[in-house]
Amino acid sequence: MFYLILITKLLILLFLPIYLNRIVQNDGSFSKSYINAIFLLFIIYSALLTYIPFTIYYFENEVNIQTFLPFYGLVGFIIFYSVLPISFFIIQIKKIYIQSFFNRVFKIFGLISLIITILLIAGIEIFNFINLQALHEICYSSHDSSSEKLRCCLDANYVWKEGFAFSKNTPIECEKYMNWND
Amino acid sequence: MKYIKILFFSILLFYSSYIYADSNFVHAKLADKLYKPWGIAVLDDDHLLITQKSGELFKINIRNKTKTEIDHNLIVSEYGQGGLLDVLYYNEKVYVSYAEERGDEKYSTSVAIGEIKDNSISFKNIFQSEPPIKSKIHFGSRLEIKNDHLFITVGERQTGKLTQEIDNHFGKIIRLHLDGSIPLDNPYVDQENGLNEIYMIGLRNPQGMAVSPIDNELYITNHGPKGGDFFGKVIEKGNYGWDDVAWGGTDYDGTIIGDGSAWLPGLVKPIYRWIPSIAVSDIFFYEGDEFSEWQGDVLLSSLKVQKLFKLDYEDGKVRDVSIIFERKGRLRDVEVNNLGEIFYIVDDSKGSLWQLQKS
């Protein structure tokens, strides 16, 4: 199921801009509102898959990621995945003239960036899924004495053989299992 | 208009004040514009020594808040998590730990000793961790004295499994005589390939250490990976198990460390663990009159969660954990002088030294 969802997610990311590019080229076949709606859908969808989760990770992860990726690195990442594609599509939608050579270069660059992004997202999500499976195996082997405990473990952010823990806001029904210091 | 101006300037004065009061405590700023301060040592009832990671050592007069730089001969600069780190004052000697460049951009945790003469110290090395390597993290470097022995924490420097070997100093507690010579009764002195300075093994990055006045035992804090910071006891020839175990934590990328066990038979068990991590820094067992209700309790500072904790530690167990204060910045070190006055430093490029007082 994980892989099915992942492939679907990534195919949408791949084909949405291609579809948007095609409908923009078809003069008059599609209404402006429809084009704008697809455009909005794409920028929100790509944000949810790229720089939004990465920004959250940058500020909330335990590792001091800020020491090797400075803030301007994060800003550059956000610009790459927001400002650049938005600018490209505005130029397309507003039919702002650009020499066909540069237009072609932008499109090829955009396509290559999209494919690399898809491969990166796929790699990261598969890696995280494999790690999560390993933690879930510990839940099934060490914390399955009750269905409630198992459920708590499967929802936990930290899992080890003798216990589990949450990053924030431990659910009330799981608090009784947070006794590893007793 | 006149009253608006008075109100405006009163508010401005309040927020620029050197005194910050919450409901229970007063935080008195003793020094600011400190660049990444790391260690505090009590010189006497009126003076503290403070280190800066960039290599400077200062004497602070806590009564008139003056700051005097102590010249020294160590060549130290900031190197990742390394630099000039802890400082300790004992029997008129100043001990410092630092990240020492040993050639070819390889660094070790080193300790030097000297005496203050005319605001100047000529340090002499008494310990260098082996081997020096190119890693910018996990230097450990906390110093403590117990029963006229000098104890030093050395971090694992990203070497992982090497912390389990006794032919290096990674992830170890070191015990020396006060002059740097090696006690003949150190646990690995008679062992082949064992380095004679080693007292305990299996740590990741221990940055806190203190002697309990109750049981005269030595205690440490240790940074876990993603989760697994702990407070524990130093045991001669003991092994905390890094990186076969991670005390409940995982690696930062989510992978399990070892087989996912927090502890294995034969290893020393931490007394108290934090999952998620709090980035635990230093500890101090409180003795004094100012906060007499805290007698014997453990004061524990943290970097990530920016809290000063109090652990009610008794008979080998932490009975209660409470927060003394929070949101004052990344707390790197906490010390108490002979008068029971509590001092702490905020680790930042614009760091500061504070005294905690009762309101």
Side-chain angles (χ1 to χ4, degrees):
Chain A
M1 189 66 171
F2 162 77
Y3 290 101
L4 183 63
I5 294 171
L6 179 65
I7 290 167
T8 308
K9 257 174 28 176
L10 296 177
L11 284 175
I12 293 172
L13 185 65
L14 176 66
F15 289 115
L16 206 48
I18 294 173
Y19 175 65
L20 181 57
N21 192 56
R22 288 200 68 179
I23 63 174
V24 162
Q25 303 305 320
N26 286 327
D27 273 328
S29 300
F30 297 93
S31 68
K32 257 192 181 171
S33 352
Y34 179 74
I35 292 171
N36 289 340
I38 300 295
F39 168 59
L40 197 63
L41 180 66
F42 170 67
I43 57 172
I44 292 171
Y45 186 75
S46 62
L48 289 172
L49 249 59
T50 58
Y51 61 84
I52 289 177
F54 184 73
T55 306
I56 293 169
Y57 177 84
Y58 184 85
F59 286 110
E60 289 192 356
N61 193 27
E62 279 209 33
V63 72
N64 209 357
I65 195 173
Q66 297 89 350
T67 58
F68 52 87
L69 181 67
F71 186 68
Y72 56 79
L74 175 66
V75 171
F77 185 81
I78 293 171
I79 289 171
F80 186 83
Y81 282 105
S82 60
V83 174
L84 282 181
I86 290 171
S87 307
F88 175 75
F89 281 111
I90 286 175
I91 289 168
Q92 296 282 309
I93 291 167
K94 297 291 182 192
K95 304 219 184 298
I96 296 168
Y97 175 74
I98 291 178
Q99 269 197 323
S100 62
F101 168 74
F102 290 112
N103 209 4
R104 214 173 294 137
V105 166
F106 285 143
K107 284 184 181 175
I108 292 169
F109 175 74
L111 191 60
I112 292 171
S113 305
L114 198 56
I115 291 168
I116 291 172
T117 301
I118 284 165
L119 291 173
L120 278 172
I121 293 172
I124 291 167
E125 294 221 9
I126 291 169
F127 180 76
N128 288 341
F129 178 70
I130 291 169
N131 288 339
L132 193 62
Q133 290 301 101
L135 297 181
H136 284 177
E137 274 172 35
I138 294 177
C139 290
Y140 283 107
S141 61
S142 303
H143 303 297
D144 62 345
S145 55
S146 71
S147 57
E148 182 186 68
K149 192 178 184 188
L150 179 64
R151 202 168 50 247
C152 287
C153 182
L154 294 171
D155 290 339
N157 308 107
Y158 298 80
V159 177
W160 62 99
K161 281 188 173 176
E162 299 84 354
F164 48 88
F166 294 81
S167 296
K168 296 174 186 183
N169 304 326
T170 302
I172 294 169
E173 68 275 15
C174 303
E175 281 174 2
K176 56 183 170 288
Y177 304 116
M178 309 288 107
N179 58 354
W180 61 84
N181 277 315
D182 291 344
Chain B
M1 190 62 186
K2 180 177 142 187
Y3 294 110
I4 292 171
K5 280 185 185 172
I6 291 169
L7 182 65
F8 174 75
F9 282 111
S10 302
I11 293 168
L12 200 65
L13 203 64
F14 174 78
Y15 281 108
S16 65
S17 155
Y18 273 62
I19 303 288
Y20 171 80
D22 57 30
S23 57
N24 299 312
F25 306 108
V26 170
H27 300 260
K29 190 187 285 188
L30 303 179
D32 60 5
K33 294 179 191 155
L34 297 171
Y35 181 80
K36 298 185 184 177
W38 211 94
I40 310 173
V42 174
L43 206 51
D44 54 45
D45 289 347
D46 299 324
H47 297 90
L48 302 175
L49 292 175
I50 305 286
T51 55
Q52 288 188 158
K53 254 174 83 178
S54 46
E56 297 79 28
L57 179 65
F58 292 104
K59 184 170 74 176
I60 310 283
N61 184 315
I62 58 176
R63 308 303 170 199
N64 63 23
K65 300 187 180 72
T66 53
K67 191 169 86 179
T68 308
E69 185 165 354
I70 306 290
D71 292 326
H72 64 83
N73 58 324
L74 296 177
I75 300 168
V76 190
S77 54
E78 188 178 358
Y79 175 71
Q81 293 180 358
L84 184 63
L85 301 175
D86 201 16
V87 60
L88 183 68
Y89 183 72
Y90 186 76
N91 280 354
E92 297 181 4
K93 298 274 195 293
V94 176
Y95 298 81
V96 291
S97 61
Y98 66 107
E100 183 186 7
E101 206 263 320
R102 306 260 305 271
D104 195 28
E105 291 176 22
K106 293 180 180 177
Y107 284 73
S108 65
T109 300
S110 297
V111 176
I113 186 175
E115 284 184 43
I116 301 179
K117 286 185 173 119
D118 301 323
N119 290 329
S120 177
I121 302 180
S122 178
F123 280 113
K124 185 186 80 170
N125 264 355
I126 56 170
F127 172 75
Q128 295 172 307
S129 66
E130 297 292 347
I133 58 169
K134 288 182 187 182
S135 167
K136 290 186 170 185
I137 68 172
H138 301 175
F139 288 87
S141 303
R142 198 58 75 181
L143 306 172
E144 188 56 77
I145 287 172
K146 179 194 146 188
N147 297 343
D148 281 340
H149 286 106
L150 173 68
F151 287 83
I152 305 163
T153 67
V154 181
E156 52 95 58
R157 308 287 304 285
Q158 280 180 303
T159 58
K161 289 276 177 282
L162 291 184
T163 61
Q164 292 297 307
E165 306 301 323
I166 57 171
D167 61 354
N168 64 77
H169 289 129
F170 302 124
K172 312 292 196 291
I173 304 288
I174 303 299
R175 183 176 81 154
L176 304 171
H177 287 305
L178 296 181
D179 61 359
S181 59
I182 297 169
L184 294 175
D185 59 345
N186 264 3
Y188 296 97
V189 160
D190 292 327
Q191 275 196 241
E192 201 180 329
N193 297 330
L195 293 183
N196 298 335
E197 302 90 347
I198 296 173
Y199 192 77
M200 187 176 191
I201 71 171
L203 289 151
R204 186 170 174 274
N205 190 20
Q207 287 192 335
M209 187 157 54
V211 180
S212 166
I214 312 289
D215 58 15
N216 199 39
E217 296 282 355
L218 192 60
Y219 293 84
I220 53 168
T221 57
N222 178 70
H223 287 274
K226 186 177 175 182
D229 291 1
F230 72 73
F231 162 73
K233 193 185 273 195
V234 174
I235 309 279
E236 183 177 345
K237 216 174 181 182
N239 181 0
Y240 268 106
W242 179 257
D243 67 348
D244 292 329
V245 298
W247 317 292
T250 62
D251 213 333
Y252 289 113
D253 60 8
T255 50
I256 295 169
I257 290 170
D259 66 357
S261 298
W263 175 80
L264 292 169
L267 300 177
V268 177
K269 238 185 194 175
I271 296 167
Y272 196 89
R273 292 175 287 142
W274 287 270
I275 301 134
S277 296
I278 60 169
V280 61
S281 46
D282 203 13
I283 47 172
F284 204 97
F285 285 83
Y286 185 80
E287 274 188 298
D289 294 330
E290 186 166 349
F291 298 90
S292 54
E293 66 275 22
W294 295 353
Q295 208 73 5
D297 288 340
V298 181
L299 304 182
L300 185 144
S301 54
S302 63
L303 297 155
K304 177 185 164 195
V305 299
Q306 302 183 12
K307 292 175 180 164
L308 184 69
F309 292 93
K310 183 174 72 70
L311 310 184
D312 176 7
Y313 174 65
E314 201 181 322
D315 296 328
K317 282 192 82 71
V318 172
R319 306 279 171 198
D320 183 58
V321 178
S322 53
I323 298 166
I324 296 173
F325 66 81
E326 57 186 320
R327 288 193 294 268
K328 287 295 292 174
R330 285 164 49 84
L331 306 179
R332 176 64 75 180
D333 194 4
V334 59
E335 290 292 333
V336 181
N337 67 7
N338 292 331
L339 302 176
E341 295 169 322
I342 298 173
F343 307 95
Y344 64 90
I345 45 178
V346 174
D347 179 357
D348 190 81
S349 54
K350 292 174 187 164
S352 45
L353 166 70
W354 297 78
Q355 182 181 352
L356 184 71
Q357 297 167 339
K358 278 197 170 170
S359 60

